[in-house]
């Protein structure tokens, strides 16, 4: 849909640290204020300060610093910069006018019983970026399997060449690996021709190097518990081969600085249930025929599976029971384990703020491409983080986004914005329907009943349902430990100081309405043959997904993002079970 009026300027964020309501274009300045106060030694962000208090605190810190044996001029400069920032008391800069932002979303039709709607919204961010280097992937009936789709997002760096190549070839390489283990995955003739053309690249000597992915020994007990290890190995092997293809340098312009990219992908599969297959005998037969398939040995009641792989600084976040769970890992210099790995292997990390750059060039520590500089490539490895997670009707949203979103908003903020904009959209629709005719009742936002609130299964943490996680299939074989994610990303330097959530200020405008003269056939509503402003359930969720993705992009732009922004949002079956706020 095309919103008639912009709503992003009415979206506000509530800072639990200082108890203030802030707007997106104030967010960057607000965080800098908290960071400056922290550097000057003010523990409470609510501390009232004036010029005399700030100057006295600065003098106290400098005197203490000069008496320490590890005196650092750089630390003194940080103190001075913090003081200047707080004394300046300048008005927050609006990096863009939300009313002038026009970034229509793209709706993708996906025939999957787990997905109600899927929408992608992108913005080049022309204030800071010359070209759009983000590319998204949405493949329905992946591997010629119904109710299986492949989603992905590729965030390019130093050009879009690597991103374009990865978006076109990585799904084929992954499908080829899956088909070698599970015969239900099939490639078309055209896809097989492309795969055959890679035979000259993956010669015998190269296949010996990559054999570690498939020949790694494991105990019988491990093979029983790690049912989906083969998918994670397929991910690792396909990423490894993709990086090898990028080494060919096809379409690269520079001889030194070749392009690279961060990637996040998701394989979405529906699990056959007893209702679908009928008798237990048929279900058993299905599992025997697909003992290597992800649908085998799955907990009863699980509707589907998400197999996630990410590399770099693109991320996937799942909303389950109103909580956010990050299904990816940050591969950048802000990650302590990544810094340790690079330094132990002879790499260098510069002193650039905030966390340094790999060889003074890259913030990401893992990625595909970057082959032009062998020194950089020695540290930037193509090893993905992978995890498998079951989903059911308690899962509401899946969000894949590029660095342009995560550099200004953390996971908690994105979840709060998503929940608020989605429920506001459905609430507006419900009000419109009730105003048109009091006899017509349709409720898309289901209240939280006592039965639902006491459902222990629905309230279990996602950690209890992790099927398999392999952080580094290339180096180790560890199970993931997924916990509700704490506020991080754009707030890593001052984590714990503030937790922002979305609130709807009084007087905010209503979300956009819907197309008119459309017949309603919602399964949750009584059909009405005549009337205006009627939409199908499918159209309703499509419009809602489109609206939410646009608002996330606009909020990131208003908050001062300097990178390309791409948001891919998936509305899962549990999105209609969100309690009213």
């Amino acid at each position: 849909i095309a919103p008639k009026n912009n709503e992003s300027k009415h979206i506000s964020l509530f800072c639990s640290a200082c108890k203030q309501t802030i707007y997106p274009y104030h967010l960057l300045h607000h965080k800098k204020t908290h960071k400056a106060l922290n550097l000057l030694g003010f523990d409470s962000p609510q501390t009232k300060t004036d010029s005399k208090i700030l100057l006295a605190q600065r003098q106290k810190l400098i005197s203490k610093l000069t008496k320490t044996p590890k005196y650092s001029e750089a630390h003194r400069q940080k103190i001075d910069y913090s003081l200047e920032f707080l004394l300046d008391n300048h008005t927050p800069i609006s990096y863009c006018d939300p009313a002038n932002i026009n970034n229509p979303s793209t709706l993708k039709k996906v025939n999957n019983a787990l997905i109600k709607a899927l929408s992608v919204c992108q913005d080049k961010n022309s204030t800071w970026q010359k070209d759009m280097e983000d590319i998204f992937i949405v493949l329905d009936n992946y591997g010629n399997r119904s109710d299986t789709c492949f989603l992905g997002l590729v965030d390019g760096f130093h050009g879009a060449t690597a991103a374009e190549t990865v978006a076109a070839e990585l799904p084929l390489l992954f499908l080829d690996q899956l088909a070698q283990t599970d015969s239900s995955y099939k490639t078309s003739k055209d896809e097989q021709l492309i795969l055959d053309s890679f035979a000259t690249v993956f010669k015998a000597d190269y296949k010996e190097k990559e054999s570690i992915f498939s020949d790694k020994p494991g105990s019988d007990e491990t093979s029983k518990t790690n049912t989906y290890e083969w998918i994670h190995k397929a991910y690792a092997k396909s990423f490894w081969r993709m990086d090898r293809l990028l080494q060919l340098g096809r379409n690269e312009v520079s001889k030194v600085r070749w392009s690279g990219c961060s990637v996040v992908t998701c394989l979405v599969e529906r699990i056959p249930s007893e209702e679908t297959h009928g008798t237990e005998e048929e279900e058993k037969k299905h599992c025997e025929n697909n003992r290597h398939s992800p649908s085998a040995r799955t907990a009863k009641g699980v509707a589907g599976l998400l197999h996630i792989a990410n590399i770099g600084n693109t991320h996937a976040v799942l909303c389950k029971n109103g909580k956010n769970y990050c299904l990816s890992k940050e591969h950048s210099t802000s990650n302590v384990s990544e810094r340790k790995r690079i330094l132990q292997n002879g790499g260098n990390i510069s002193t650039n703020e905030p966390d340094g750059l790999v060889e003074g060039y890259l913030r990401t520590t893992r990625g595909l491409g970057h082959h032009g500089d062998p020194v950089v490539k020695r540290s930037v490895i193509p090893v993905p983080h992978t995890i498998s997670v079951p989903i059911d009707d308690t899962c509401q949203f899946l969000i894949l986004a590029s660095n342009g979103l995560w550099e200004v908003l953390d996971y908690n903020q994105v979840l709060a914005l998503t929940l608020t904009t989605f429920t506001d959209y459905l609430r507006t629709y419900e009000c419109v329907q009730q105003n048109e005719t009091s006899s017509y009742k349709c409720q898309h936002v289901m209240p939280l009943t006592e039965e639902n609130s006491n459902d222990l299964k629905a309230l279990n943490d996602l950690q209890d349902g992790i099927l398999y996680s392999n952080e580094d299939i290339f180096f180790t074989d560890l199970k993931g430990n997924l916990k509700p994610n704490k506020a991080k990303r754009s707030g890593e330097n001052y984590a714990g100081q503030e937790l922002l959530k979305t609130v709807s200020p009084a007087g905010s405008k209503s979300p956009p309405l819907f197309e008119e003269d459309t017949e309603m056939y919602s399964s949750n509503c009584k059909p009405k043959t005549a009337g205006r402003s009627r939409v199908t359930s499918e159209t309703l969720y499509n419009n809602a997904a489109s609206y939410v993705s646009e608002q996330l992009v606009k909020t990131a732009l208003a908050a001062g993002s300097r990178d390309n922004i791409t948001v891919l949002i998936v509305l899962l079956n549990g999105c209609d079970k969100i309690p009213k706020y």
Side-chain angles (χ1 to χ4, degrees), residues 314-365:
T314 52
H315 293 283
V317 175
L318 176 68
C319 174
K320 177 182 173 73
N321 285 322
K323 299 178 182 178
N324 74 76
Y325 298 88
C326 183
L327 306 181
S328 52
K329 185 176 180 180
E330 174 73 1
H331 298 134
S332 70
T333 51
S334 63
N335 188 318
V336 177
S337 61
E338 287 293 289
R339 292 176 64 92
K340 184 178 180 180
R341 174 185 63 80
I342 290 174
L343 296 175
Q344 286 181 343
N345 287 278
N348 295 307
I349 298 177
S350 68
T351 58
N352 299 67
E353 292 290 340
D355 302 302
L357 302 173
V358 179
E359 303 298 339
Y361 178 62
L362 272 178
R363 186 173 180 269
T364 54
T365 56

Side-chain angles (χ1 to χ4, degrees), residues 71-354:
Y71 173 79
S72 172
E73 186 64 29
H75 187 51
R76 175 170 179 163
Q77 288 180 354
K78 290 181 180 180
I79 294 175
D80 291 338
Y81 291 154
S82 298
L83 177 66
E84 292 175 4
F85 178 81
L86 294 173
L87 290 177
D88 188 13
N89 196 24
H90 57 273
T91 304
I93 300 174
S94 178
Y95 290 88
C96 61
D97 183 4
N100 295 329
I101 300 175
N102 183 20
N103 39 15
S105 57
T106 302
L107 289 171
K108 289 291 183 178
K109 176 67 175 178
V110 177
N111 294 319
N112 192 301
L114 301 172
I115 298 175
K116 286 185 177 293
L118 188 153
S119 177
V120 183
C121 188
Q122 293 184 296
D123 192 277
K124 184 176 70 174
N125 201 350
S126 57
T127 303
W128 301 100
Q129 298 294 327
K130 180 181 178 181
D131 301 310
M132 184 63 181
E133 298 175 352
D134 291 354
I135 300 176
F136 64 88
I137 308 168
V138 178
L139 299 177
D140 197 14
N141 294 322
Y142 185 65
N144 198 27
R145 286 167 48 118
S146 60
D147 277 336
T148 300
C149 59
F150 183 85
L151 311 177
L153 199 156
V154 188
D155 187 346
F157 178 80
H158 198 70
T161 302
E164 293 171 351
T165 305
V166 169
E169 298 176 359
L170 180 62
L172 292 180
L173 293 172
F174 183 49
L175 177 59
D176 181 47
Q177 295 301 316
L178 294 176
Q180 293 179 23
T181 306
D182 187 349
S183 59
S184 64
Y185 288 94
K186 303 183 184 300
T187 57
S188 65
K189 292 183 179 179
D190 293 338
E191 292 172 338
Q192 192 58 48
L193 288 175
I194 297 175
L195 291 170
D196 292 341
S197 67
F198 298 152
T200 56
V201 180
F202 307 126
K203 297 181 180 180
D205 57 341
Y206 181 80
K207 291 183 178 180
E208 290 181 3
K209 294 180 182 179
E210 68 177 12
S211 62
I212 187 173
F213 294 115
S214 55
D215 297 340
K216 191 172 182 178
S219 63
D220 293 337
E221 182 179 354
T222 301
S223 61
K224 290 180 180 179
T225 56
N226 299 340
T227 310
Y228 306 101
E229 181 180 4
W230 69 278
I231 288 187
H232 295 252
K233 288 184 176 181
Y235 260 133
K237 197 170 182 179
S238 59
F239 272 70
W240 179 271
R241 289 195 167 195
M242 187 69 252
D243 194 66
R244 175 65 182 88
L245 291 174
L246 291 176
Q247 192 176 352
L248 301 176
R250 292 170 291 173
N251 302 320
E252 291 287 355
V253 178
S254 173
K255 295 182 179 180
V256 180
R257 298 295 186 191
W258 288 6
S259 61
C261 60
S262 297
V263 184
V264 59
T265 62
C266 178
L267 180 67
V268 183
E269 295 187 300
R270 186 180 68 86
I271 302 303
S273 62
E274 292 183 3
E275 291 77 8
T276 303
H277 290 276
T279 65
E280 295 182 1
E281 183 178 353
E282 291 175 345
E283 178 73 14
K284 183 177 180 181
K285 182 178 179 181
H286 174 83
C287 292
E288 289 177 353
N289 294 335
N290 299 277
R291 62 182 182 276
H292 294 295
S293 172
S295 61
R297 287 189 304 192
T298 304
K300 186 176 180 180
V302 174
L305 287 167
L306 301 180
H307 303 287
I308 306 286
N310 91 289
I311 191 169
N313 55 11
T314 52
H315 293 283
V317 175
L318 176 68
C319 174
K320 177 182 173 73
N321 285 322
K323 299 178 182 178
N324 74 76
Y325 298 88
C326 183
L327 306 181
S328 52
K329 185 176 180 180
E330 174 73 1
H331 298 134
S332 70
T333 51
S334 63
N335 188 318
V336 177
S337 61
E338 287 293 289
R339 292 176 64 92
K340 184 178 180 180
R341 174 185 63 80
I342 290 174
L343 296 175
Q344 286 181 343
N345 287 278
N348 295 307
I349 298 177
S350 68
T351 58
N352 299 67
E353 292 290 340

Side-chain angles (χ1 to χ4, degrees), residues 432-444:
V432 170
Q433 300 304 322
Q434 291 177 351
N435 289 338
E436 286 188 352
T437 169
S438 59
S439 61
Y440 181 79
K441 295 182 179 181
C442 174
Q443 185 167 339
H444 287 271

